[in-house]
Structures are given as structure tokens and as C-alpha cells.
């Protein structure tokens, strides 16, 4: 059989906000149970540098309770938890923030808090000591390839699919040293501030999803 397994790339979308219900138990209190998320397509599977940059920033911005973006949202009482997540291993990786245990009415204050915090970080620059720590933590995980309870060979076989599924070099996802070296060289060069400005502050192709308890 002649078959074409090419997965078409999704074109950029216009910024949109959607509201959808999710189910909770009849006896559960719906107060402060909304979930608000906003994000967009990061690029494609082959741009390892961009994906690694996003991964380091998820740790820098929301990786612990003192992370600047998480701290700003929590201190304002806009949500009980706030994370920045990278969904990779797919043809077009996605980067998005998520506010949990919040209210639907908190959407605009959340957007404002995120923008104000990120604009300040871009203007004043990231804390280099924290940034280096986040980078080295990420680099250690990529080099160590700790597989937890799974056999390491199984984990690496799955990792091959990050590129192979989409017609890329199967070994590319395992070869990390050149990209890690390049990213380390960019720690002091304003690379991360530029990424924040372009993806979060100037990106017009985002989707915001508000999940309300029902």
C-alpha cells in the first residue's frame, strides 16, 4: 500500500479565549475551583535549543514557591497554585501557564499580573545566579538520563520517537551536548529575556482556556 503518514503542521491561530465546564461531585464546593490556562505553540520538534530554553524557564519562573512568576500570582491571592509547563515530545511543542483553584473572574487580573511580572524581568534582567542554577539542574537531568522506575533502555527508546515520528533523525533527541553548550553560552547574553519578550509579551497566537466547575 502507498501511504503518506505526514502530520500537517498547524498554522498560527488568532488569539482566542474559550470557556468550558468540567465535572465535580455534587457535594463538592465549586468556589475557587476554576482552572485558567494560557499558552501557544513553541515551534517544532526539531528546534532543540528553543525547547531547552523553555524547559529552563519553566523552572526559573514557577519551579518553586520563590520563583518570580509563581510568587507574584500567589502573593496577589489570584490562585492557590501557578505553574508554567512545557508539553514536548510532539510535533509542535506547547508552552503554557496554568492557574489552579481560582475564579473565572480572576482571568484579567491574572493576565495583568503575568504581563507586569514578565515585563519587569525583561527590563531588569533575570537573576543570573538563579538562572545558572536552573540551567545546571536541567543539564544534569538531560545528561544523567535517570529513568526512575522504568528501564533506561525503554525510556531512551521512547525518546527516539520525539523526532523519529515526524520524519526526523531518531538519534537527534538523544544528542544533547552541543545544544546544552550553546545554551550555557547564552546565559549571560540576554537570550532568555528575548525569549520571554517574544513568546509571552509579543505573541499574538495564544489560546486561553477557562475551565469552570460544574
Amino acid at each position: 500500500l502507498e501511504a503518506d503518514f505526514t502530520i500537517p503542521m498547524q498554522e498560527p491561530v488568532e488569539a482566542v479565549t474559550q470557556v468550558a465546564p468540567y465535572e465535580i461531585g455534587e457535594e463538592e464546593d465549586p468556589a475557587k475551583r476554576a482552572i485558567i490556562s494560557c499558552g501557544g505553540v513553541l515551534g517544532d520538534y526539531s528546534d532543540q535549543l528553543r525547547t531547552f530554553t523553555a524547559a529552563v524557564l519553566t523552572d526559573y519562573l514557577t519551579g518553586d514557591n520563590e520563583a518570580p512568576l509563581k510568587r507574584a500570582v500567589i502573593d496577589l491571592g489570584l490562585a492557590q497554585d501557578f505553574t508554567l509547563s512545557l508539553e514536548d515530545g510532539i510535533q509542535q511543542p506547547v508552552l503554557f501557564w496554568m492557574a489552579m483553584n481560582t475564579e473565572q473572574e480572576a482571568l484579567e487580573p491574572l493576565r495583568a499580573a503575568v504581563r507586569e511580572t514578565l515585563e519587569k524581568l525583561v527590563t531588569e534582567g533575570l537573576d543570573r545566579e538563579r538562572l545558572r542554577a536552573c540551567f545546571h539542574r536541567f543539564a544534569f537531568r538531560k545528561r544523567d538520563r535517570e529513568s526512575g522506575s522504568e528501564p533506561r533502555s525503554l525510556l531512551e527508546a521512547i525518546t527516539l520517537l520525539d523526532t523519529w515520528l515526524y520524519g526526523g533523525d531518531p538519534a537527534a533527541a538523544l544528542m544533547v551536548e552541543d545544544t546544552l553548550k550553546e545554551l550555557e553560552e547564552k546565559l549571560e547574553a540576554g537570550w532568555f529575556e528575548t525569549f520571554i519578550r517574544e513568546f509571552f509579551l509579543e505573541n499574538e497566537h495564544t489560546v486561553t482556556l477557562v475551565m469552570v466547575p460544574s
Side-chain angles (χ1 to χ4, degrees):
L1 296 176
E2 293 292 333
D4 181 4
F5 296 105
T6 301
I7 301 172
M9 291 284 187
Q10 179 179 320
E11 295 298 320
V13 299
E14 295 297 327
V16 66
T17 298
Q18 298 284 359
V19 179
Y22 78 94
E23 187 175 292
I24 62 173
E26 291 183 2
E27 305 303 320
E28 293 184 79
D29 184 358
K32 292 188 176 180
R33 291 288 300 277
I35 303 169
I36 300 176
S37 181
C38 178
V41 173
L42 186 64
D44 67 59
Y45 72 93
S46 66
D47 195 339
Q48 193 178 60
L49 179 64
R50 192 166 171 81
T51 303
F52 283 11
T53 300
V56 172
L57 278 176
T58 62
D59 190 15
Y60 183 97
L61 293 172
T62 66
D64 56 64
N65 287 336
E66 297 307 314
L69 188 53
K70 183 172 186 175
R71 183 78 270 157
V73 171
I74 299 301
D75 284 352
L76 289 171
L78 295 175
Q80 289 184 6
D81 197 11
F82 187 88
T83 61
L84 180 64
S85 299
L86 169 66
E87 184 73 28
D88 59 358
I90 55 179
Q91 182 165 256
Q92 293 171 279
V94 177
L95 183 63
F96 59 94
W97 58 255
M98 181 179 293
M100 277 126 339
N101 291 346
T102 183
E103 298 284 3
Q104 184 175 355
E105 295 73 22
L107 173 58
E108 293 309 320
L110 275 168
R111 281 175 167 162
V114 169
R115 173 166 286 276
E116 181 179 341
T117 302
L118 295 180
E119 284 178 342
K120 183 178 180 181
L121 289 172
V122 168
T123 300
E124 298 180 357
L126 303 185
D127 181 322
R128 259 40 201 181
E129 184 177 354
R130 179 180 177 88
L131 183 60
R132 284 192 297 270
C134 292
F135 166 77
H136 287 298
R137 185 158 49 239
F138 172 76
F140 179 83
R141 290 198 306 268
K142 298 302 288 187
R143 289 166 172 151
D144 185 56
R145 291 187 173 134
E146 172 57 45
S147 58
S149 60
E150 299 173 337
R152 176 169 169 174
S153 56
L154 175 61
L155 182 66
E156 298 207 342
I158 293 173
T159 302
L160 296 176
L161 299 176
D162 289 356
T163 50
W164 200 4
L165 280 173
Y166 313 110
D169 180 353
L174 298 178
M175 311 302 288
V176 300
E177 283 302 324
D178 289 347
T179 305
L180 288 175
K181 182 179 179 181
E182 182 180 359
L183 189 57
E184 186 171 17
E185 292 172 351
K186 293 178 179 294
L187 290 177
E188 310 293 336
W191 170 261
F192 287 85
E193 288 85 352
T194 298
F195 180 96
I196 290 173
R197 183 178 67 251
E198 291 178 351
F199 184 83
F200 292 104
L201 302 179
E202 300 175 353
N203 186 6
E204 298 180 353
H205 308 290
T206 61
V207 172
T208 302
L209 178 62
V210 182
M211 300 290 291
V212 293
S214 172

